Amino acid sequence: MQEYHIAVIPGDGIGQEVCPEGLKVLNTAAEVSGSFRLHYDFFPWGCEYYLQKGEMMPAGGLKTLQSFDAIYFGAVGFPNVPDHISLRGLRLPICQGFEQYANIRPSLLLPGIPGALRNKKVGDIDFIVVRENTEGEYAGAGGRAHRGLPIEVAVETSIFSRVGVERIIRYAFKLARSRPRKRLANVTKSNAQQHTLTFWDEIFAEVGKEYPDITTERVLVDAMAARFVLKPESLDVVVASNLFADILTDLGGAICGSLGLAPSANLNPERHYPSMFEPVHGSAPDIFGQGIANPIGMIWSGALMLDFLGETRAANLIVAAISAVTGEGRLLPPDLGGSASTQQLGDAIAARLRDLAG
Ligand code: IPM
Ligand code: MG
């Protein structure tokens, strides 16, 4: 029996509500597989923790997490703590400290979900955004001077290293190679960002020489935003910098019906450190406490986790169970026009998973 040790950080807001549903489905997947077991350690880190202890996670937090096979993460941020503190105190240190440089964000139109676009059917939207996850516009380099004076200035420098750019582009090429259409779109804005993103484009061209079987294209980020809406069926794998992919993946979630559906994986592909799996949506303070948050993004992120751990069959079963439940259309959460509760959906997906494994 394969054993996996998972660090669970439900975090803030609806992270706490969707996490139990994710675990419910993961447990069901383990049970029906009969070939692996999941062990969880829970960490109460986040904004509440910060208000009590003055830090989002304890000083040795990363060291504690390092021994786990994976991290299952809900959401971070709440109005009672400034965003830059909560983000820079928990999620970013994990992504950067564990070199989770590949943030994988699939956009897949599920059956039974109308989506936001007219005339799109299942199969028309099926692409993956590969987001650079450790540097770029999120590097945190910069500062403020002359605070409070009329001459006050703020500088935030994006940082692109050869190592950082090369590894994310290579990851994207490999991912494109594993998919039937073998297409990769490189998104930059090198007509305006003349230093960093021309550098990125050059590296893309260099690495591309090693992958002659992949069809590539270069698309400016503004044009890509329009393409997500007008012609998503033309996309397979899309690689972009930290901020560009952040923006594009909200749009990617929206065209598939709701941000509440979108899963993500923060991968350290070399497996030197644990990887982290979390829904794309945030802590959603506006709906927290009502039991109506959509748990699908969290449940689907659990599938990405199992897939990365090598439990591909179980991962596929979870996605099939999600599709079966949305396809039936009886139980949908409020963000998809239904009235099912977070828990009802978790129960339904777990039950469906059992049937499918049957
Ligand atoms: C995301 C989120 C975060 C990000 C926020 C909460 C800082 O938007 O994961 O896409 O920009 O990385
Ligand atoms: Mg975002």
Side-chain angles (χ1 to χ4, degrees), residues 29 35 38 41 59 72 89 96 128 154 156 167-168 181 195 216 223 260 265 271 323 345 358:
S35 61
L38 297 165
D41 278 20
Y72 194 49
Q96 296 181 349
I128 299 182
E156 182 114 17
R167 66 187 182 181
I168 193 66
R181 286 189 286 162
H195 305 298
T216 62
R271 298 169 197 262
S323 303
L345 262 160

Side-chain angles (χ1 to χ4, degrees), residues 76 87 91-92 103 105 131 133 138 242 246 249-250 278-280 282:
V76 65
L87 177 72
R91 189 172 163 275
L92 277 190
N103 183 199
R105 296 185 159 189
R131 172 183 180 185
N133 212 29
Y138 281 59
N242 214 332
D246 170 49
T249 50
D250 263 33
E278 56 166 354
V280 173

Side-chain angles (χ1 to χ4, degrees), residues 37-93:
R37 235 184 253 137
L38 297 165
H39 304 275
Y40 308 112
D41 278 20
F42 291 83
F43 297 93
W45 302 341
C47 289
E48 278 304 313
Y49 188 92
Y50 175 83
L51 292 174
Q52 285 166 23
K53 317 249 178 179
E55 51 194 1
M56 292 291 292
M57 66 171 162
L62 281 192
K63 233 189 153 75
T64 308
L65 293 177
Q66 187 155 355
S67 62
F68 287 86
D69 294 307
I71 304 162
Y72 194 49
F73 192 95
V76 65
F78 216 67
N80 52 9
V81 174
D83 278 345
H84 65 276
I85 291 183
S86 53
L87 177 72
R88 296 215 170 263
L90 186 57
R91 189 172 163 275
L92 277 190

Side-chain angles (χ1 to χ4, degrees), residues 245-280:
D246 170 49
I247 297 166
L248 286 175
T249 50
D250 263 33
L251 186 53
I255 60 174
C256 292
S258 167
L259 205 54
L261 296 166
S264 88
N266 301 282
L267 302 182
N268 173 247
E270 290 75 23
R271 298 169 197 262
H272 295 155
Y273 302 100
S275 293
M276 178 161 71
F277 301 83
E278 56 166 354
V280 173

Side-chain angles (χ1 to χ4, degrees), residues 4-27:
Y4 300 108
H5 295 268
I6 311 296
V8 181
I9 308 175
D12 300 316
I14 63 165
Q16 292 173 16
E17 296 175 312
V18 295
C19 196
E21 305 312 312
L23 295 174
K24 184 185 288 173
V25 174
L26 280 169
N27 289 336

